[in-house]
Amino acid sequence: MQNRWHRFLEKLNDYRGVIAFVAVFVLGIIFSPRALNTGLPIFLSWQTQLAILYEYSEYGLLATGMTLVILTGGIDLSVGSVLGLSAVLFSLLTIGYGWGVAPAIGAVLLTGLACGLMNGSLIARFKMQPFVATLAMMTAARGAAKLIAGGIKVQPGGQPWYVMQEGTPSFFLWMTSALPGIGVQPSTLIFLVCILVMAALVRYTAYGRWLYAIGGNEEAARLSGIRVGAVKVLTYALCSMFAAMAGVLNACRQDLGDTEAGMTYELDAIAAVVIGGTSLMGGRGGMMFTLIGVLIMAYINKILSLNAVELAPRMVIQGIIITIAVLIQQKRGRSS
């Protein structure tokens, strides 16, 4: 009987992210203000759910890439700055130089890829700690964003030589407008498609198995023939490429390239991954856990927003939640 109860608790622990998600959803219904026309909780409406997904698309993309890195036992602090650099570069190419959307996106993704390759090489080739390597990239990418933007926000009319002097690029408007028939913005669709594709990749391919093996025991993975260095470089490259994609979404949402865009976003991305249930120690977790973590973070912020809680208390509450999530993980790690 005792063994059965122990197994039940272990099983319950595996799904603590789902349990937390359900609990937050119920709290959202309870503490949501009521709509004047229907009397139903605003939180429960379809429009609110779509708005939450749209607002957290950028965080979701960052968390998608961060999950890959954390599964290997690493961390990437540079994703927020890479997002800012990408938002500025995309705006500069389209608004300032008049590039087409496709080549501009290609250039931005290649830039993100280069940032990730640099991170991965420093970590895999030169054995630099992920925290230090990505901290350096965080500073460098933010500086590069300010450098290419000339210290200002990149928007129509921002400089006399910009090709676009007024209005908003049509692609920016398209990305942030609901598609006919489904009511979902392309930004939201990009996030959902990316996380589902990466979930399949992590679960069903050799690359996914390598991530878990490296995060579980790097030396054992190396001895079993896995090219640990190459996998790490690829993983950090993918992480930065998702950050670059989030930068494009950020530029479209704000109608400009802001050199401060993405500031502290890396913390939200890490928090979403941890709260979902992926272990910071590596080797345990998954992409669908991250989707749950992103939704939990989004729901908490939306509940506080609907109740007009100011930013400062929100940050305190968020910090407490992250601390509790990490403490639960540590307890689980000691007991397993």
Side-chain angles (χ1 to χ4, degrees):
M1 184 65 185
Q2 192 174 0
N3 286 338
R4 284 184 182 176
W5 178 246
H6 182 72
R7 283 199 296 272
F8 174 72
L9 290 178
E10 281 291 311
K11 201 71 181 172
L12 212 58
N13 195 31
D14 289 340
Y15 294 96
R16 65 189 186 284
V18 178
I19 296 168
F21 169 76
V22 173
V24 171
F25 191 84
V26 172
L27 287 175
I29 297 172
I30 295 171
F31 292 104
S32 169
R34 305 273 166 172
L36 293 176
N37 53 346
T38 63
L40 295 173
I42 295 174
F43 177 81
L44 207 52
S45 72
W46 184 239
Q47 288 76 13
T48 301
Q49 297 299 314
L50 292 181
I52 288 171
L53 279 174
Y54 172 65
E55 290 164 9
Y56 262 71
S57 296
E58 294 161 34
Y59 295 100
L61 282 174
L62 295 185
T64 301
M66 190 68 75
T67 305
L68 301 174
V69 170
I70 289 180
L71 281 175
T72 66
I75 198 82
D76 189 343
L77 299 179
S78 67
V79 290
S81 294
V82 173
L83 182 154
L85 171 62
S86 303
V88 167
L89 181 60
F90 183 67
S91 300
L92 194 63
L93 292 176
T94 52
I95 296 172
Y97 293 102
W99 281 32
V101 171
I105 289 178
V108 168
L109 294 183
L110 285 176
T111 302
L113 203 61
C115 293
L117 289 173
M118 181 68 75
N119 281 336
S121 299
L122 288 173
I123 293 163
R125 176 71 179 82
F126 298 100
K127 307 301 179 190
M128 196 177 281
Q129 288 294 322
F131 181 88
V132 178
T134 57
L135 186 65
M137 179 57 72
M138 181 175 77
T139 307
R142 187 66 66 188
K146 293 180 185 294
L147 198 64
I148 64 173
I152 62 170
K153 293 179 179 178
V154 180
Q155 55 190 325
Q159 294 280 13
W161 56 266
Y162 281 2
V163 170
M164 194 167 190
Q165 288 295 314
E166 58 183 18
T168 303
S170 55
F171 178 74
F172 287 33
L173 294 172
W174 178 77
M175 282 286 284
T176 54
S177 302
L179 294 171
I182 56 176
V184 177
Q185 294 88 348
S187 295
T188 306
L189 281 181
I190 289 172
F191 159 53
L192 292 175
V193 168
C194 283
I195 200 165
L196 291 175
V197 168
M198 294 313 295
L201 191 76
V202 167
R203 186 172 178 83
Y204 298 111
T205 68
Y207 172 67
R209 292 192 291 276
W210 295 339
L211 293 179
Y212 286 102
I214 293 171
N217 188 325
E218 186 172 326
E219 189 55 31
R222 184 177 286 107
L223 291 173
S224 68
I226 296 173
R227 296 177 63 193
V228 173
V231 175
K232 281 190 174 182
V233 171
L234 173 62
T235 301
Y236 280 91
L238 285 173
C239 183
S240 286
M241 202 177 68
F242 280 117
M245 209 179 296
V248 173
L249 267 57
N250 182 275
C252 294
R253 183 173 58 82
Q254 298 201 63
D255 293 340
L256 53 82
D258 186 354
T259 57
E260 302 297 324
M263 193 77 80
T264 74
Y265 278 25
E266 60 276 359
L267 301 180
D268 291 270
I270 294 168
V273 176
V274 174
I275 289 171
T278 296
S279 170
L280 271 176
M281 301 296 109
R284 184 181 292 167
M287 208 57 75
M288 297 316 291
F289 289 105
T290 296
L291 178 58
I292 290 171
V294 170
L295 289 175
I296 289 173
M297 294 284 292
Y299 281 161
I300 290 170
N301 275 318
K302 178 57 77 175
I303 293 167
L304 296 173
S305 172
L306 287 173
N307 287 281
V309 177
E310 294 183 357
L311 180 61
R314 273 198 234 178
M315 294 173 70
V316 172
I317 293 169
Q318 191 173 337
I320 292 171
I321 291 169
I322 294 169
T323 304
I324 292 171
V326 173
L327 286 174
I328 291 172
Q329 281 203 359
Q330 286 180 341
K331 185 179 177 184
R332 186 188 186 196
R334 284 194 294 268
S335 61
S336 60

